[in-house]
């Protein structure tokens, strides 16, 4: 158990809908990362938050948004969903130091299926 | 551009044998970190081993070791005494930091299958 909690584990929805994925980082971790894993794109970095502030942005679509709350949990909002958004969405957390050896701890992911 | 390349889509190994999973990377940063993660069929990403760019010795964690060849920009994962439970996807990753980014970038992965 990595200590990172993601809910829900599975989500099935229709095109055009909006969903929210939730992540609780490990206790003490200030950084939260969101990744998307799909068969054709592999593991893609979406966005990172550190202590409530957006710190880095990757290949995140404008239809997607995220935030990190004062209690450090994070939510990833996906709107106007398309079939191609079907993927496994991971949240990861880390302490948030500047060290290159700081590893990320991953949650078990949310499997999103858009029908 | 910073990039991780894993050229082996799939590998087979017999139980109790050793196997090497290849990883090459590209970066112009002098300071970087290299990671290996395992993803079993259940889906979670499990950290295995880390190697820093300034580390003089190859990293080891139990049956996992990292064959780090800096001049060749390679960071191959060696699994000794393979077990059936080692069957999984394996991802090589690199820590990328700059003034506006902080992330792990991943290779495409290698699917390892261990057979009896």
């Amino acid at each position: 158990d990595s200590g990172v909690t993601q809910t829900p584990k599975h989500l099935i929805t229709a095109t055009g809908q909006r969903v929210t994925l939730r992540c609780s980082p490990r206790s003490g971790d200030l950084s939260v990362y969101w990744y998307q894993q799909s068969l054709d794109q592999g593991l893609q970095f979406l966005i990172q938050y550190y202590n409530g502030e957006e710190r880095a942005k990757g290949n995140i679509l404008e239809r997607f948004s995220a935030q990190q709350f004062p209690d450090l949990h994070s939510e990833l909002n996906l709107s106007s969903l398309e079939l191609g958004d079907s993927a496994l969405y991971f949240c990861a957390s880390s302490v948030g130091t500047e060290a290159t050896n700081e590893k990320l701890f991953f949650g078990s992911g949310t499997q999103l299926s858009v029908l | 551009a910073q990039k991780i390349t894993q050229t082996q889509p799939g590998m087979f190994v017999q139980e109790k044998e050793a196997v090497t999973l290849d990883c090459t990377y590209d970066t112009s940063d002098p300071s970087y970190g290299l990671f290996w993660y395992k993803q079993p069929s259940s889906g979670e990403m499990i950290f295995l081993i880390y190697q820093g760019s300034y580390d003089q010795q190859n990293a080891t964690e139990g049956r996992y070791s990292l064959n780090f060849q800096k001049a060749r920009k390679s960071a191959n994962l060696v699994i000794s005494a393979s077990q059936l439970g080692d069957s999984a996807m394996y991802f090589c990753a690199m820590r990328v930091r700059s003034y506006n980014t902080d992330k792990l970038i991943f290779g495409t992965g290698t699917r390892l299958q261990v057979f009896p």
Side-chain angles (χ1 to χ4, degrees):
Chain A
D1 183 5
S2 67
V4 179
T5 304
Q6 285 189 252
T7 56
K9 290 193 183 305
H10 302 277
L11 199 50
I12 302 174
T13 188
T15 54
Q17 294 298 304
R18 172 190 170 95
V19 296
T20 297
L21 313 183
R22 183 187 168 100
C23 169
S24 294
R26 289 189 324 154
S27 177
D29 284 359
L30 298 178
S31 275
V32 169
Y33 304 75
W34 286 98
Y35 282 82
Q36 178 195 59
Q37 185 180 30
S38 60
L39 286 175
D40 55 342
Q41 298 283 344
L43 269 160
Q44 296 287 318
F45 167 73
L46 295 178
I47 197 163
Q48 183 214 359
Y49 281 82
Y50 174 79
N51 203 19
E53 299 289 327
E54 181 184 306
R55 187 171 184 178
K57 219 166 185 177
N59 303 323
I60 188 166
L61 300 172
E62 285 191 9
R63 300 183 285 108
F64 296 0
S65 65
Q67 54 185 327
Q68 187 179 26
F69 294 87
D71 67 352
L72 301 178
H73 91 271
S74 178
E75 292 181 356
L76 179 67
N77 300 297
L78 314 177
S79 61
S80 302
L81 285 168
E82 301 175 0
L83 296 177
D85 297 327
S86 296
L88 183 57
Y89 290 84
F90 281 110
C91 168
S93 75
S94 69
V95 174
T97 69
E98 295 293 313
T100 53
N101 65 345
E102 187 176 296
K103 55 183 173 275
L104 271 60
F105 293 88
F106 283 78
S108 56
T110 294
Q111 182 66 57
L112 174 66
S113 299
V114 182
L115 306 178
Chain B
Q2 289 150 326
K3 190 178 178 181
I4 293 282
T5 302
Q6 294 180 257
T7 57
Q8 306 156 314
M11 290 284 285
F12 287 89
V13 66
Q14 191 167 28
E15 203 176 3
K16 300 179 185 177
E17 296 294 312
V19 63
T20 298
L21 306 184
D22 294 343
C23 172
T24 58
Y25 60 92
D26 190 16
T27 181
S28 55
D29 291 341
S31 177
Y32 50 88
L34 298 161
F35 301 77
W36 278 90
Y37 282 83
K38 172 184 178 181
Q39 186 178 35
S41 57
S42 52
E44 72 270 30
M45 297 285 286
I46 302 167
F47 167 77
L48 294 179
I49 196 167
Y50 164 82
Q51 180 82 44
S53 58
Y54 293 122
D55 293 344
Q56 295 296 312
Q57 294 189 327
N58 288 340
T60 59
E61 291 281 351
R63 293 185 300 108
Y64 304 109
S65 61
L66 204 151
N67 184 1
F68 182 47
Q69 298 190 43
K70 197 170 181 178
R72 295 185 178 183
K73 293 191 174 180
S74 74
N76 298 338
L77 177 69
V78 180
I79 305 175
S80 62
S82 297
Q83 302 172 356
L84 295 178
D86 294 334
S87 295
M89 280 290 286
Y90 289 81
F91 291 95
C92 181
M94 179 169 62
R95 194 68 180 262
V96 172
R97 289 180 184 270
S98 70
Y99 73 96
N100 66 345
T101 194
D102 176 14
K103 60 186 179 184
L104 280 184
I105 58 170
F106 287 84
T108 51
T110 296
R111 182 170 297 282
L112 176 66
Q113 295 193 9
V114 182
F115 59 94

